[in-house]
Amino acid sequence: MKQRKKVLLSWTALVTASLLSSHPSLANDELTKASKDPKQWVMQAGDYANQRYSSLKQITTANVKELRPVWTFSTGVLRGHEGGPLVVGDVMYVHTPFPNVVYALDLNNQGRILWKYEPKQDPTVIPVMCCDTVNRGVAYGDGKIILNQADANVVALDAKTGKELWKVANGDPKKGETMTGAPVIVKDKVLVGISGGEFGVQGRMTAYNLKDGSVAWKAYSVGPDDQILVDPQKTTSLGKPIGANSSLSTWQGDQWKTGGGATWGWTSYDPQLNLIYYGSGNPSTWNPKQRPGDNKWSMTIFARDADTGMAKWVYQMTPHDEWDYDGVNEMILADIKVKGTPVKALVHFDRNGFAYTMNRETGELLVAEKYDPAVNWATHVDMKTGRPEVVAQYSTDKNGEDHNTKGVCPAALGSKDQQPASYSPDTGLFYVPTNHVCMDYEPFKVSYTAGQPYVGATLSMFPPKGENHLGNFIAWDASTGKIVWSDKETFSVWSGALTTAGGVAFYGTLEGYLKAVDMKTGKELYKFKTPSGIIGNVTTYEHGGKQYIAVLSGVGGWAGIGMAAGLGGDTDGLGAVGAYKQLANYTQLGGVLTVFALP
């Protein structure tokens, strides 16, 4: 009888999948519904709001100390493992950095491999990947798994078989265009960004039709109005129309064509407003003297119509960036009270060290405060103009080429890089993995050659003066812009956070520890050392009535680039190698998925 029931369920699932694949709008409804099922983890960020919160509560502050690893899976790849697995029904989908292998694992059979997809990629793409060969995960929808390959190909795979269904070229690695970000499926479209700000790419967000991979719309970060998909009168910044040529007028000549503004971070979506939100990265080059002006719309939060790509509002956080403070970190959508007033908020922890709370409907700036006490490059953000007040001592532009500007905080990798924070509706707080790192920054003249690094700066990184730790895990009140509590970490916390209804927040450390802390106090409740440093994002799911915690280990990424790429000079890895040299004393390379549960 049990066997017959299982066959019937499988047949029903097959019919459902078939129906969904022929009706993309139904598929989107199904994806939205699945994202609300805490037993599954169907999106990299957990849901469209990027909250990384789970209502599962079998694991609590009282029993989390009993957590144990119950099974593991080796990916067979040695570079940095960012992102995390997806859980769809009884199947877990695990990805790797280059060569971007995708595994489908059977949760009913001890993680047995159902299928494996390994793309054939030219290894010459590796040298044009700025900060390790990372990949932040696959997307699921409409019976498909979507993979962004390092070589800038976007691939749709059959979720049941791993068979390639379509493949499109989203960029050209010979120009330095690569892909590291996770795709996001919204309605009948796949949204993908591009990496390559250090190679002078023209950053963009592209929407492909989920059915066949054809282009639905493409929106650049910098350039002419028709390319960046803005309406000079209807698109606003802090409530005012941006006007004609809002980007072009802030670049010298044709510099916008190699202007950067890459889009390799995270994308969120508000179904009620039908708006997608994401950030653009640094302008090219890193030498600010060579590109006078605000360099719009690099370093910008975009709110775009999901169907057309047209921007409703924009906000540039770091005009004329002088420090490589990419604006690509996740936009977390949460309905919170700000100064006593309920707000449909967007909360963004920027690389520049300021945490922004905005009205996600209008783009109004509500809060902008430092979320790391070391931040010194600016005193504050002017709430009327939205511009940071830059401290002249730390202005690499004012100090000029071939001058080493010392002690700038944060370093180029930011007070937080791409490692996503989490929001708990239970506490109303945001849980943020941070970097506590400063730098010396010396710009120099550089010329553009397609496919060659277009950086033009030498950096070195180190802890803030008088301190010896490189990271903190913090709880943040986005309504007031204040740190509630802060836990010190020896190294940067490069892992994505997870919060749960059990009152527990989880994150990983660069030494390799999975840690669990009390969300109210920050008190450490549990830690377990996995085989390698953790730069992956912690996820949770339920299977067979039991709650599991899963995380990818595999040291690397920008913080671990010295180990991942075998670099030794203090200024190697765009300045990161010197700061993290001691990491090799704590962990070694190796991609492993570790799954935990209570006994």
Side-chain angles (χ1 to χ4, degrees):
M1 184 66 184
K2 268 187 182 176
Q3 187 64 31
R4 186 180 167 192
K5 191 176 179 182
K6 199 169 180 181
V7 170
L8 192 63
L9 281 170
S10 300
W11 181 82
T12 307
L14 205 64
V15 171
T16 306
S18 174
L19 283 169
L20 291 175
S21 62
S22 57
H23 294 86
S25 60
L26 282 178
N28 180 62
D29 292 343
E30 183 64 20
L31 185 57
T32 304
K33 185 181 173 185
S35 72
K36 291 172 183 171
D37 175 9
K39 294 180 181 180
Q40 305 184 80
W41 191 272
V42 297
M43 299 180 191
Q44 285 297 326
D47 57 18
Y48 279 128
N50 277 23
Q51 292 186 356
R52 299 195 51 79
Y53 168 83
S54 171
S55 59
L56 295 180
K57 52 187 178 183
Q58 196 178 95
I59 298 167
T60 67
T61 53
N63 64 23
V64 68
K65 63 181 181 291
E66 304 297 329
L67 214 56
R68 299 288 184 271
V70 290
W71 62 277
T72 60
F73 177 78
S74 173
T75 68
V77 180
L78 293 180
R79 298 295 285 252
H81 285 60
E82 289 183 348
L86 296 183
V87 175
V88 183
D90 295 326
V91 181
M92 177 183 281
Y93 298 95
V94 179
H95 70 287
T96 78
F98 185 92
N100 306 133
V101 183
V102 182
Y103 296 96
L105 307 180
D106 185 358
L107 295 178
N108 288 327
N109 194 357
Q110 299 177 319
R112 184 178 71 89
I113 299 170
L114 294 168
W115 55 259
K116 172 185 176 183
Y117 176 79
E118 184 167 3
K120 291 178 173 62
Q121 298 184 75
D122 189 334
T124 58
V125 72
I126 294 173
V128 290
M129 299 187 79
C130 131
C131 312
D132 201 7
T133 60
V134 295
N135 181 289
R136 296 181 191 92
V138 295
Y140 169 81
D142 190 24
K144 299 178 178 74
I145 292 293
I146 307 296
L147 167 69
N148 288 344
Q149 294 181 184
D151 64 6
N153 279 302
V154 183
V155 183
L157 308 172
D158 186 299
K160 288 188 175 57
T161 65
K163 180 188 174 188
E164 195 177 289
L165 300 175
W166 55 257
K167 180 178 181 180
V168 293
N170 186 56
D172 181 0
K174 289 184 174 59
K175 294 179 183 174
E177 294 178 332
T178 58
M179 293 181 77
T180 59
V184 172
I185 293 172
V186 172
K187 297 187 178 179
D188 58 349
K189 295 177 178 65
V190 181
L191 304 174
V192 302
I194 197 79
S195 303
E198 282 58 65
F199 291 84
V201 307
Q202 189 188 356
R204 57 195 179 268
M205 176 67 70
T206 308
Y208 291 99
N209 288 308
L210 182 55
K211 184 179 179 182
D212 57 11
S214 57
V215 175
W217 54 260
K218 185 183 293 186
Y220 287 85
S221 304
V222 302
D225 291 349
D226 61 341
Q227 285 193 28
I228 59 177
L229 296 192
V230 292
D231 183 314
Q233 298 311 314
K234 292 180 181 176
T235 303
T236 61
S237 179
L238 297 184
K240 296 175 183 173
I242 59 172
N245 298 319
S246 61
S247 175
L248 288 183
S249 63
T250 66
W251 292 89
Q252 207 170 54
D254 283 348
Q255 283 188 334
W256 60 271
K257 290 182 178 177
T258 53
T263 51
W264 50 270
W266 304 92
T267 303
S268 48
Y269 172 58
D270 184 325
Q272 278 70 48
L273 300 175
N274 197 37
L275 293 176
I276 62 159
Y277 305 90
Y278 66 93
S280 61
N282 60 287
S284 299
T285 116
W286 287 22
N287 178 356
K289 276 292 182 196
Q290 286 188 238
R291 44 169 176 78
D294 278 358
N295 309 135
K296 291 182 165 83
W297 293 100
S298 65
M299 320 301 275
T300 294
I301 298 173
F302 286 94
R304 294 189 182 276
D305 183 283
D307 298 322
T308 65
M310 184 60 69
K312 182 178 182 185
W313 61 262
V314 292
Y315 170 62
Q316 188 179 41
M317 296 154 292
T318 315
H320 184 59
D321 167 56
E322 308 171 37
W323 311 270
D324 183 45
Y325 292 153
D326 277 25
V328 302
N329 293 352
E330 73 286 352
M331 314 295 161
I332 304 174
L333 313 184
D335 297 342
I336 61 175
K337 282 188 177 179
V338 180
K339 294 165 188 166
T341 306
V343 174
K344 283 183 176 294
L346 174 154
V347 177
H348 169 73
F349 298 91
D350 197 61
R351 283 255 289 267
N352 71 15
F354 286 88
Y356 298 84
T357 304
M358 308 189 73
N359 182 317
R360 68 177 182 267
E361 194 166 12
T362 65
E364 180 188 0
L365 181 61
L366 303 170
V367 179
E369 297 290 346
K370 298 175 183 180
Y371 64 97
D372 184 285
V375 175
N376 65 12
W377 69 276
T379 55
H380 66 283
V381 173
D382 185 311
M383 296 303 286
K384 287 184 180 174
T385 65
R387 298 180 74 93
E389 293 293 324
V390 177
V391 177
Q393 178 185 348
Y394 302 115
S395 170
T396 68
D397 184 273
K398 281 191 174 66
N399 293 333
E401 290 177 346
D402 304 318
H403 177 92
N404 194 12
T405 298
K406 296 193 170 186
V408 185
C409 307
L413 39 68
S415 293
K416 189 178 86 63
D417 200 352
Q418 60 74 40
Q419 60 270 40
S422 177
Y423 168 72
S424 167
D426 301 330
T427 62
L429 299 177
F430 293 76
Y431 297 84
V432 193
T434 72
N435 311 316
H436 192 56
V437 189
C438 303
M439 67 176 171
D440 296 343
Y441 191 114
E442 184 174 345
F444 59 84
K445 194 169 179 60
V446 65
S447 57
Y448 173 76
T449 304
Q452 296 300 311
Y454 190 44
V455 178
T458 302
L459 281 65
S460 56
M461 301 184 191
F462 38 81
K465 193 173 181 180
E467 301 187 62
N468 58 13
H469 71 288
L470 294 168
N472 298 292
F473 185 70
I474 69 169
W476 177 260
D477 184 340
S479 62
T480 61
K482 287 187 167 53
I483 295 171
V484 178
W485 53 255
S486 180
D487 291 348
K488 286 183 183 179
E489 286 293 345
T490 305
F491 297 102
S492 295
V493 187
W494 210 268
S495 151
L498 168 76
T499 54
T500 67
V504 185
F506 293 90
Y507 66 96
T509 74
L510 275 171
E511 305 102 302
Y513 286 105
L514 173 76
K515 290 194 174 185
V517 299
D518 187 307
M519 293 194 322
K520 290 178 181 171
T521 65
K523 181 186 176 185
E524 188 178 294
L525 304 172
Y526 172 80
K527 70 176 181 178
F528 179 88
K529 194 158 194 217
T530 66
S532 183
I534 299 175
I535 63 169
N537 305 331
V538 189
T539 56
T540 188
Y541 65 96
E542 184 182 301
H543 189 256
K546 190 181 271 282
Q547 182 183 355
Y548 294 89
I549 302 291
V551 68
L552 278 170
S553 302
V555 74
W558 195 355
I561 189 65
M563 292 184 68
L567 305 175
D570 284 357
T571 61
D572 287 352
L574 299 174
V577 172
Y580 298 91
K581 262 190 173 170
Q582 296 302 313
L583 192 54
N585 296 333
Y586 293 85
T587 191
Q588 285 298 306
L589 302 175
V592 175
L593 173 81
T594 308
V595 180
F596 299 80
L598 296 172

